[in-house]
Amino acid sequence: MIQSILDFLKDFGVWGLFIHSFIDAIIFPIPAFFLQVSLSLLDPSSALWLATVGFIACLLGTPFGYLIGKLLGKSLLYKILKKKWVDKATEMFNKNGEAAILIGAFTPIPFKVFTILSGCLNFPLWRLMAYAALGRAIKFYAIGILFYVYGRAAEGMVGKVSLYVFLIGVPLILIGLWVRKKIRNRRQPAEAGASQQHDISAD
């Protein structure tokens, strides 16, 4: 049935990818990556346009996934996705929600797990959108650039490039978040000291 839906969406070309990417952020169990690759293979010259359409549609769908999480909680995830995916994503989210969203853009875990979990766990929507934009842009445009540059020959490179993006992107994300955390921790004592000094002066 899922393959039939994919074939149906493929017949609509770029609009099919738009629909797939939109519902990929909400409930559809198959990542839009597969349709993006299929359509890019048919017409490599449109690969960057397809990446842009998929990226925009995913961002538009993200708030809807978030709203579902707010209203229905994790019970829906257990019904539509593998329990191990949901449990792994929840563990990642509890440790560091920001890293979970960014890394989730590269992992096999469907992205809608993270949009729905964000709603379940009251993660700020604006931060979800910001981190989703960064992570999904890398994933969509890595494929788009690959097909645009190498044409149909890129089909055999997709797996390796996706792996390299994961191996390089995830460590960079973690390092960036670690540096950001260190800077934030240094600022807090300074701000607290400034606040105390202000109170003393006021007295």
Side-chain angles (χ1 to χ4, degrees), residues 6-25:
L6 287 176
D7 292 339
F8 175 76
L9 291 172
K10 187 177 179 181
D11 290 338
F12 286 91
V14 67
W15 283 108
L17 179 61
F18 183 92
I19 294 169
H20 190 166
S21 299
F22 184 84
I23 59 178
D24 177 27

Side-chain angles (χ1 to χ4, degrees), residues 1-13 16-17 20 28 30 34-35 38-39 42:
M1 184 177 109
I2 290 176
Q3 185 58 50
S4 298
I5 295 174
L6 287 176
D7 292 339
F8 175 76
L9 291 172
K10 187 177 179 181
D11 290 338
F12 286 91
L17 179 61
H20 190 166
F28 197 57
I30 304 299
F34 294 102
L35 187 57
S38 296
L39 292 175
L42 289 175

Side-chain angles (χ1 to χ4, degrees), residues 15 17-23 25 48-64 129 132-133 136-137 140-141:
W15 283 108
L17 179 61
F18 183 92
I19 294 169
H20 190 166
S21 299
F22 184 84
I23 59 178
L48 290 179
W49 171 238
L50 289 168
T52 301
V53 169
F55 170 68
I56 292 173
C58 180
L59 287 189
L60 291 176
T62 296
F64 290 90
M129 295 296 293
R136 300 309 275 178
F140 274 106
Y141 282 103

Side-chain angles (χ1 to χ4, degrees), residues 7-134:
D7 292 339
F8 175 76
L9 291 172
K10 187 177 179 181
D11 290 338
F12 286 91
V14 67
W15 283 108
L17 179 61
F18 183 92
I19 294 169
H20 190 166
S21 299
F22 184 84
I23 59 178
D24 177 27
I26 304 172
I27 196 169
F28 197 57
I30 304 299
F33 163 85
F34 294 102
L35 187 57
Q36 182 192 5
V37 169
S38 296
L39 292 175
S40 297
L41 190 60
L42 289 175
D43 183 11
S45 65
S46 67
L48 290 179
W49 171 238
L50 289 168
T52 301
V53 169
F55 170 68
I56 292 173
C58 180
L59 287 189
L60 291 176
T62 296
F64 290 90
Y66 183 88
L67 182 61
I68 287 175
K70 277 276 192 184
L71 298 176
L72 301 179
K74 283 199 296 184
S75 58
L76 176 66
L77 288 174
Y78 285 118
K79 291 179 181 178
I80 63 173
L81 297 170
K82 294 179 180 179
K83 185 178 182 297
K84 65 178 182 179
W85 283 348
V86 179
D87 292 342
K88 182 63 177 177
T90 302
E91 180 185 348
M92 291 169 62
F93 225 105
N94 287 332
K95 288 182 179 178
N96 192 324
E98 297 171 352
I101 294 168
L102 286 168
I103 295 172
F106 303 98
T107 65
I109 301 173
F111 192 63
K112 81 271 304 152
V113 174
F114 298 96
T115 63
I116 294 175
L117 273 178
S118 295
C120 292
L121 303 176
N122 294 313
F123 191 80
L125 177 58
W126 71 268
R127 286 168 66 186
L128 167 65
M129 295 296 293
Y131 292 120
L134 177 60

